């Protein structure tokens, strides 16, 4: 019996997204759940690992496969704070998850209904249920705050560089 609901697991994913932001990563967190038990959790680590594939979803899928002893993730739900990209949605299809729950939509790159709908792509061998918009406001607020800080940091660096150049006559 599962005593927790979708919101509980999404809040766990949000906490991981906050850890990503604290580490200077794009704030996306993911948890994989089977039979009410969190079997994997991850946040984006592309910058830290210098790996374009180190998205929270991919890392969580890999951990879940290890936890279950195989690549088929039947009965697994992935909770992620942002709509998956093509790579992550494709990995979910290939790993045969049962369900995806995500927070904010990604109108530029989202591939679970926004730009493409990979989980329901005709001809693919596997499809899964998708629930979107859970705690979307919280996910969006975290993302906006992160990129606002990134822009401020870049502005400070540019101003500092301009000040140094002005003082040296460059």
């Amino acid at each position: 019996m599962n005593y927790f609901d979708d919101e509980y697991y999404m809040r766990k994913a949000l906490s991981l997204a906050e850890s990503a932001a604290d580490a200077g990563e794009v704030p996306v967190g993911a948890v994989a759940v089977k039979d009410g038990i969190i079997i994997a959790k991850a946040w984006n680590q592309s910058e830290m690992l210098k790996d374009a594939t180190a998205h929270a979803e991919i890392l969580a899928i890999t951990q879940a496969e290890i936890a279950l002893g195989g690549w088929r993730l039947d009965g697994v739900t992935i909770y992620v704070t942002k709509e998956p990209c093509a790579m992550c949605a494709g990995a979910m299809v290939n790993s045969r998850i049962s369900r995806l729950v995500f927070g904010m939509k990604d109108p530029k790159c989202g591939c679970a209904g926004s730009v493409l709908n990979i989980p329901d792509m005709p001809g693919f061998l596997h499809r899964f249920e998708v629930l979107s918009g859970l705690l979307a406001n919280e996910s969006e607020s975290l993302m906006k705050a992160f990129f606002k800080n990134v822009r401020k940091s870049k502005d400070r660096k540019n101003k500092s560089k301009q000040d140094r150049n002005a003082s040296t006559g460059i």
Side-chain angles (χ1 to χ4, degrees):
M1 176 173 221
N2 185 5
Y3 295 101
F4 304 112
D5 62 5
D6 288 339
E7 185 175 331
Y8 172 84
Y9 298 114
M10 185 58 79
R11 290 207 180 278
K12 294 291 186 187
L14 273 165
S15 176
L16 293 163
E18 290 169 359
S19 296
D22 291 344
E25 299 281 352
V26 174
V28 178
V31 297
V33 176
K34 181 165 175 123
D35 299 327
I37 299 168
I38 295 174
I39 59 171
K41 53 188 177 180
W43 64 77
N44 276 3
Q45 296 179 35
S46 295
E47 298 299 329
M48 182 179 73
L49 297 176
K50 310 284 187 254
D51 180 357
T53 68
H55 291 193
E57 301 95 309
I58 298 295
L59 298 172
I61 287 169
T62 300
Q63 289 175 23
E65 291 167 339
I66 292 167
L68 296 178
W71 62 270
R72 288 180 181 87
L73 300 183
D74 301 315
V76 171
T77 298
I78 303 253
Y79 295 85
V80 63
T81 55
K82 186 183 78 58
E83 183 177 4
C85 68
M87 173 183 68
C88 294
M92 290 175 189
V93 168
N94 289 339
S95 64
R96 292 176 171 73
I97 70 165
S98 293
R99 191 165 170 254
L100 165 66
V101 178
F102 71 86
M104 65 178 280
K105 289 189 174 279
D106 183 347
K108 293 181 180 178
C109 300
C111 289
S114 290
V115 176
L116 291 174
N117 193 2
I118 289 176
D120 198 30
M121 192 73 76
F124 281 9
L125 296 176
H126 178 72
R127 291 188 174 143
F128 52 87
E129 177 187 345
V130 177
L131 172 66
S132 65
L134 184 61
L135 302 180
N137 291 338
E138 290 89 334
S139 297
E140 223 172 283
S141 293
L142 183 59
M143 191 70 69
K144 285 179 180 178
F146 174 79
F147 282 107
K148 183 178 181 181
N149 287 336
V150 166
R151 284 189 297 278
K152 277 185 186 175
S153 178
K154 284 183 181 177
D155 289 347
R156 280 193 295 265
K157 285 180 185 175
N158 287 339
K159 174 127 177 55
S160 176
K161 185 177 179 181
Q162 289 171 349
D163 290 348
R164 279 193 311 272
N165 289 345
S167 68
T168 59
I170 296 175

